[in-house]
């Protein structure tokens, strides 16, 4: 930028022919500094000197944006009044190149030893960046063509300034983003945000090009670099946390904002910081040490414009170099660093959210693992219970078989055999639960097939060949399968006893799924007449059909008895 300004000063001097041409830039406090200068050796130099903000008031700067070129051909001119028509509106000469300037400014120019002056505004993105200030020892005109050329050259110069500033800002932004990403990548997710920042203090300090960094939480400060003492850090953190504006704060002069901060100027003149999101009020602080500067002013900046003896405004008369030592200020935080600070705060907010989500996920996974463990234990216990019940039922079945053999062919043996078959129906369900992978359901078709094989085996080979099966696969709850099995066993016992008077005869078994209900049909080709009665078996069938939410219907035909058991296929489909 310095080289660009040097070239611009030479170009404008060649164009205008003025004795001294300066590139003057406005600073952040509205004061100005001469960045470059091209001059005749007879003219005094103002290079690198500063001018107070009062030398160019705010209203004058606004006019510089509207009028790019302003010329005073002779500081000793006699202004001529323009009087509007009696009934006309006041004249607005804001856009006029011939508009007279303030007599204060003319006195200011004469005090500087200038005979003629011109200014060319440097406007970058609608904002007055600075001026090309042209001075001549004697009166000098600037013609219309030169004024137009100067305006064009100023616009080209402004584009160069913007281009170089944008390139520098882009480079600084890219570097800042890389440093931010480096810090975020190093933050451990398994600890609170404030504590995790204390693990990357060196990277935090590098990210903001600070002299020190501190994380203050729960009345305790963790610091890296040249920091003030603990009470000072806690006081600064409390001041940052008490601000109503939650956005990050940046200042090069903390003592100008925070009472008592001048005591820590040596290490904490500059401050950048914010309250860490979702941290319970923890604060992160970047600090910059005091940078003592000697500023060369063109005259005493504290003199300014004073009131004369007749209450008329008079400009300062001396422009001799005047030095001032500036204390209590650090180096400026750059625009890229200020942007980086805001992004980093937002990134920490996202980080805190991610950490919270991860913690919830971890807790959820632990709960799921615990639930899976309980389910596994439950499944193990269920299988163990089924295994023990199965053994117990088999033991009871064996006892009944022994008892039946002791009775020989007597009536007791038949009763015991029926009881044994009923127990076998229950035992088969438990057997399926114990052996199956799914303990929450039973294949009813397979279960009935096994029941038929067991009944045929216990009744003799002649009976085994009499069964014909047509079963649709259907899974139902284990407890309902037991109920269906007991009803089915009872129906088969009735057919064996009453349809064929104990002799072997055909028994057809069908299982169908009709919409949401199943139908189990048991049909014989016997003599018929053995419909539902008042005996134990009939009462048991009726009761268990109600438990299923269904009913058992008996139909006598010319060819035997048909019994249809219908019930909902699932518990939640009962009507």
């Amino acid at each position: 930028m310095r080289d660009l300004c040097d070239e611009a000063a030479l170009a404008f001097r060649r164009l205008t022919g003025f004795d001294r041409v300066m590139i003057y830039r406005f600073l952040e406090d509205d004061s100005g500094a001469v960045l470059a200068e091209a001059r005749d050796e007879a003219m005094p130099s103002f290079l690198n000197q500063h001018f107070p903000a009062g030398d160019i008031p705010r209203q004058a700067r606004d006019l510089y944006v509207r009028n790019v070129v302003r010329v005073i051909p002779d500081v000793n001119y006699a202004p001529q009044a323009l009087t509007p028509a009696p009934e006309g509106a006041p004249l607005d000469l804001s856009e006029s190149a011939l508009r007279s300037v303030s007599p204060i400014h003319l006195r200011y120019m004469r005090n500087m030893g200038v005979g003629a002056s011109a200014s060319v505004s440097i406007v970058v993105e609608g904002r007055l960046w600075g001026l090309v200030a042209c001075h001549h020892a004697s009166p000098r005109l600037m013609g219309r063509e030169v004024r137009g050329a100067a305006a064009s050259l100023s616009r080209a110069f402004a584009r160069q300034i913007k281009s170089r500033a944008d390139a520098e800002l882009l480079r600084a932004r890219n570097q800042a983003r890389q440093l931010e990403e480096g810090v975020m990548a190093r933050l451990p997710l398994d600890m609170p945000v404030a504590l995790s920042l204390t693990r990357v203090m060196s990277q935090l300090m590098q990210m903001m090009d600070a002299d020190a960094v501190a994380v203050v939480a729960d009345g305790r400060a963790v610091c890296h670099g040249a920091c003030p003492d603990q009470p000072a850090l806690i006081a600064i953190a409390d001041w940052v946390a008490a601000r109503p504006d939650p956005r990050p704060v940046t200042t090069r002069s903390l003592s100008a904002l925070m009472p008592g901060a001048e005591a820590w100027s040596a290490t904490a003149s500059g401050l950048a910081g914010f309250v860490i999101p979702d941290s319970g009020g923890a604060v992160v602080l970047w600090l910059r040490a005091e940078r003592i500067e000697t500023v060369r002013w063109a005259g005493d900046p504290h003199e300014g414009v004073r009131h004369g003896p007749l209450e008329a405004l008079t400009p300062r008369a001396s422009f001799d170099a005047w030095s001032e030592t500036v204390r209590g200020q650090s180096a400026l935080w750059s625009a890229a660093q200020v942007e980086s600070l805001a992004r980093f705060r937002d990134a920490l907010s996202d980080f805190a959210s991610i950490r919270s989500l991860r913690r919830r996920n971890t807790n959820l996974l632990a709960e799921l693992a615990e639930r899976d463990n309980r389910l596994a234990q439950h499944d193990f216990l269920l299988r163990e219970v089924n295994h023990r019940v199965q053994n117990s039922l088999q033991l009871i079945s064996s006892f009944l078989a022994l008892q039946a053999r002791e009775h020989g062919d007597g009536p007791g043996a038949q009763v015991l055999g029926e009881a044994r078959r009923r127990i076998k129906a229950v035992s088969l369900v438990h057997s399926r639960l114990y052996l199956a992978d799914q303990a929450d359901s039973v294949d009813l078709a397979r279960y009935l097939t096994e029941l038929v094989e067991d009944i045929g085996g216990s009744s003799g080979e002649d009976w085994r060949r009499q069964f014909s099966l047509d079963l649709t696969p259907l899974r139902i709850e284990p407890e309902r399968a037991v109920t269906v099995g007991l009803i089915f066993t009872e129906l088969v016992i009735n057919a064996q006893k009453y349809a064929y008077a104990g002799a072997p005869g055909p028994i057809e078994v069908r299982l169908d799924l009709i919409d949401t209900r199943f139908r189990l049909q048991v049909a014989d080709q016997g003599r018929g007449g053995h419909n539902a009665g008042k005996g134990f078996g009939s009462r048991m069938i009726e009761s268990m059909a109600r438990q299923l939410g269904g009913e058992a219907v008996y139909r006598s035909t010319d060819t035997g008895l048909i019994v249809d058991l219908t019930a909902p296929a699932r518990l939640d489909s009962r009507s």
Side-chain angles (χ1 to χ4, degrees), residues 178-220:
Q178 290 176 0
L179 292 172
E180 292 167 37
E181 292 170 359
V183 171
M184 295 303 300
R186 288 179 171 85
L187 291 182
L189 273 168
D190 57 349
M191 59 181 63
V193 179
L195 182 59
S196 67
L197 288 176
T198 63
R199 301 293 193 269
V200 291
M201 300 290 269
S202 177
Q203 290 80 12
L204 284 175
M205 195 165 72
Q206 182 185 7
M207 185 184 82
M208 290 294 290
D209 191 22
D211 298 315
V213 64
V215 176
V216 183
D218 300 326
R220 179 175 175 271

Side-chain angles (χ1 to χ4, degrees), residues 225-280:
C227 291
D229 56 20
Q230 284 272 329
L233 291 173
I234 294 172
I236 295 172
D238 291 343
W239 178 79
V240 171
R243 294 173 65 252
D245 189 347
R247 292 175 297 181
V249 57
T250 55
T251 178
R252 68 180 303 193
S253 180
L254 180 59
S255 58
L257 301 177
M258 178 183 173
E262 58 274 2
W264 317 310
S265 292
T267 54
S269 284
L271 167 69
F274 54 78
V275 177
I276 303 171
D278 301 320
S279 65

Side-chain angles (χ1 to χ4, degrees), residues 113-128:
V114 173
S117 72
S119 65
V120 185
S121 303
I122 306 169
V123 181
V124 179
E125 292 187 317
R127 184 178 61 87
L128 186 64

Side-chain angles (χ1 to χ4, degrees), residues 10-230:
L10 290 171
F12 276 101
R13 185 165 186 241
R14 283 194 297 267
L15 174 66
T16 62
F18 276 71
D19 292 336
R20 180 174 58 220
V21 174
M22 299 172 290
I23 305 299
Y24 178 91
R25 181 177 184 180
F26 290 104
L27 305 178
E28 66 277 354
D29 60 355
D30 289 337
S31 65
V34 177
L35 302 185
E37 183 181 72
R39 64 183 175 88
D40 185 280
E41 292 183 358
M43 296 290 286
S45 173
F46 289 101
L47 183 62
N48 295 327
Q49 292 192 18
H50 288 64
F51 292 77
D55 280 9
I56 305 179
R58 169 62 62 184
Q59 63 268 29
R61 292 195 293 273
D62 293 340
L63 284 174
Y64 279 126
V65 175
R66 298 172 62 181
N67 299 329
V68 176
V69 181
R70 301 292 301 275
V71 181
I72 305 175
D74 185 352
V75 299
N76 296 309
Y77 73 88
Q80 300 300 311
L82 290 178
T83 304
E87 302 299 329
L91 296 175
D92 183 358
L93 299 178
S94 300
E95 310 293 341
S96 174
L98 299 177
R99 176 184 180 276
S100 182
V101 300
S102 165
I104 300 278
H105 184 67
L106 294 176
R107 178 74 63 84
Y108 186 92
M109 290 288 103
R110 288 194 290 269
N111 289 348
M112 291 183 74
V114 173
S117 72
S119 65
V120 185
S121 303
I122 306 169
V123 181
V124 179
E125 292 187 317
R127 184 178 61 87
L128 186 64
W129 183 90
L131 297 171
V132 180
C134 306
H135 294 165
H136 206 69
S138 58
R140 182 176 179 82
L141 291 171
M142 181 185 284
R144 183 169 179 270
E145 292 181 354
V146 175
R147 292 200 304 272
S152 297
L153 185 59
S154 173
R155 287 191 291 271
F157 181 38
R159 287 193 295 271
Q160 290 273 354
I161 290 173
K162 182 178 184 304
S163 175
R164 297 196 183 195
D166 287 348
E168 174 62 23
L169 182 58
L170 179 61
R171 184 198 66 79
R173 281 173 172 168
N174 289 337
Q175 182 181 14
R177 285 185 181 276
Q178 290 176 0
L179 292 172
E180 292 167 37
E181 292 170 359
V183 171
M184 295 303 300
R186 288 179 171 85
L187 291 182
L189 273 168
D190 57 349
M191 59 181 63
V193 179
L195 182 59
S196 67
L197 288 176
T198 63
R199 301 293 193 269
V200 291
M201 300 290 269
S202 177
Q203 290 80 12
L204 284 175
M205 195 165 72
Q206 182 185 7
M207 185 184 82
M208 290 294 290
D209 191 22
D211 298 315
V213 64
V215 176
V216 183
D218 300 326
R220 179 175 175 271
V222 178
C223 182
H224 181 76
C227 291
D229 56 20
Q230 284 272 329

